[in-house]
Amino acid sequence: MSAGLLLQYAVVALAATASVLVVLHKRFPGTTRRLRVALALPLLRAGRPGWMRALGRWLAPAPTTTGKDCGGCDSCG
């Protein structure tokens, strides 16, 4: 397999992954929020390296002050 074809496959895979993430975020905001929390919490534990904690802070969703029935779309305010 040539390097050009491999690069093309990588770009297509990246575009498909980005599309799935956008649709997931738009259609299922509550699920996306729970997934981001589940991914960020292990990275934010005490004793982790600084780069890992920074990645956890970047992944973590912004805190909300809404009720438990909110889907998290941030269209309230």
Side-chain angles (χ1 to χ4, degrees), residues 29-55:
T31 302
T32 304
R33 182 174 182 78
R34 285 190 296 276
L35 180 63
R36 288 177 66 184
V37 167
L39 290 173
L41 280 179
L43 297 173
L44 293 173
R45 290 197 178 117
R48 299 285 186 185
W51 67 269
M52 201 177 283
R53 296 187 77 178
L55 180 63

Side-chain angles (χ1 to χ4, degrees), residues 13-14 20 28 43 67 71 75 77:
L14 185 63
V20 167
F28 306 104
L43 297 173
S75 65

Side-chain angles (χ1 to χ4, degrees), residues 11-24:
V11 168
V12 169
L14 185 63
T17 302
S19 297
V20 167
L21 292 175
V22 167
V23 169
L24 184 67

